[in-house]
Amino acid sequence: MDAIYEVHGLTKRYGRTAALNGVDFAVTPGKLVGLLGPNGSGKTTLMKISAGLLQPTAGSVIIDKVPVGVFTKAVTSYLPDRMALPTEFTADDAVSLYADFFTDFDKVKANAMLADLHIGGRDKIDSMSKGTQEKMQLCLTMSRAARLYLLDEPLGGVDPAARDYILSTILHNYSEDAALMLSTHLIGDIEKVLDEVILLQDGKVLRQVAVDELREETGGERGRLLPGGLQMLTKLLRYEFKSTGRVVLPIAAGVLVLNIFTNILSHFVQNTSDRLPLAGVAMALLALASAVSLLVVLAICFFY
């Protein structure tokens, strides 16, 4: 199948700093691709160039067999990582603006999704929380019948209770002849819905791999990020801390490890509590093991 989204030798420099350095990949229709990498790896720059908002220093982006330009903007639905609409707009104003600008925009679908999220038509953007603003923009973005969807951190400011709805919205609102790429740090939340992942670091592609292939390599189950995935994640975490000094991702990694061990713990107790009187002791030991794992991940991020 021919690629719907191709990137060839893409480079973007700001002075002597290369935000992107010879990026190459291709995405075929029907794929939901996760763009993963630490802050400063080039994710947002890549999406802005693909959306026609930035000019590359070198290389090219091809969407639906056409270089980025007026045509590709008409077939690409882009969700930026921040509010792009005038804050004095109401939700109805935003819907009307999208309907005027994009011929593939489905106004009925947009209003239905906004209603599901309890966003009223007269609600002003400047009165919405950051999370509500992001949910509104996502509804508008996914209400287009585009060929390519580019979502920059769609889950970044959204509360955990709304993430399942948003992931469901993403899954059910793009067609098989379209492709979708989203960037995120919340790997545990999206891993189960992805077809492929592209790992970026220092403006370069570390690897593009099918999620099913990654699971086969690591012996993982669907919906879980297991040893091989954790190894790649740890590499990204080390870079994140050493280059920025931030500890958000290491903490997120610790939560991820705890979630994995919690699942193992629950499975163990359910299958042994009726046969082993010491199941409670085993549960305590596994809880201790999860805590040790958290410390190991943090130690790797800080000292390795």
Side-chain angles (χ1 to χ4, degrees), residues 251-265 286-295 297:
I251 292 172
V255 173
L256 175 63
V257 171
L258 286 173
N259 284 337
I260 292 173
F261 275 90
T262 298
N263 288 334
I264 295 172
L265 175 63
L286 281 174
L288 176 62
S290 68
V292 171
S293 297
L294 171 59
L295 294 175
V297 171

Side-chain angles (χ1 to χ4, degrees), residues 27-220:
V27 177
T28 54
K31 298 293 185 182
L32 200 161
V33 181
L35 183 63
L36 311 179
N39 290 339
S41 60
K43 301 188 300 297
T44 294
T45 300
L46 170 61
M47 288 200 170
K48 284 184 175 180
I49 292 175
S50 301
L53 301 178
L54 283 178
Q55 288 295 318
T57 304
S60 63
V61 177
I62 309 296
I63 298 173
D64 204 12
K65 300 181 180 180
V66 178
V68 168
V70 175
F71 171 78
T72 62
K73 289 182 180 181
V75 298
T76 302
S77 191
Y78 170 60
L79 175 71
D81 61 346
R82 62 193 66 189
M83 174 52 62
L85 296 169
T87 55
E88 65 270 18
F89 270 25
T90 64
D92 280 344
D93 293 334
V95 169
S96 296
L97 181 69
Y98 267 67
D100 289 341
F101 268 82
F102 303 110
T103 58
D104 60 1
F105 183 73
D106 188 332
K107 192 172 182 178
V108 174
K109 180 189 288 186
N111 284 325
M113 286 195 287
L114 291 173
D116 284 344
L117 292 170
H118 308 292
I119 298 174
R122 295 184 179 180
D123 293 352
K124 282 194 170 184
I125 293 175
D126 59 8
S127 68
M128 299 177 186
S129 67
K130 184 175 184 292
T132 300
Q133 290 178 5
E134 292 184 358
K135 286 184 281 189
M136 184 195 72
Q137 281 203 127
L138 177 65
C139 290
L140 297 173
T141 301
M142 298 308 300
S143 293
R144 292 184 56 194
R147 295 279 284 149
L148 175 65
Y149 298 87
L150 300 172
L151 312 182
D152 196 356
E153 296 284 354
L155 303 177
V158 177
D159 56 279
R163 284 176 190 160
D164 286 343
Y165 176 84
I166 289 173
L167 288 174
S168 176
T169 298
I170 291 172
L171 283 171
H172 292 95
N173 286 280
Y174 82 102
S175 62
E176 291 185 358
D177 63 346
L180 187 148
M181 175 180 284
L182 63 87
S183 67
T184 185
H185 293 309
L186 302 170
I187 303 172
D189 285 334
I190 67 163
E191 182 262 343
K192 60 182 178 293
V193 303
L194 297 178
D195 297 307
E196 296 180 356
V197 293
I198 295 174
L199 300 174
L200 275 184
Q201 183 172 317
D202 294 332
K204 299 178 181 179
V205 174
L206 289 179
R207 191 179 182 191
Q208 179 179 6
V209 60
V211 172
D212 287 340
E213 180 182 339
L214 187 59
R215 292 193 188 101
E216 289 178 3
E217 291 177 5
T218 61

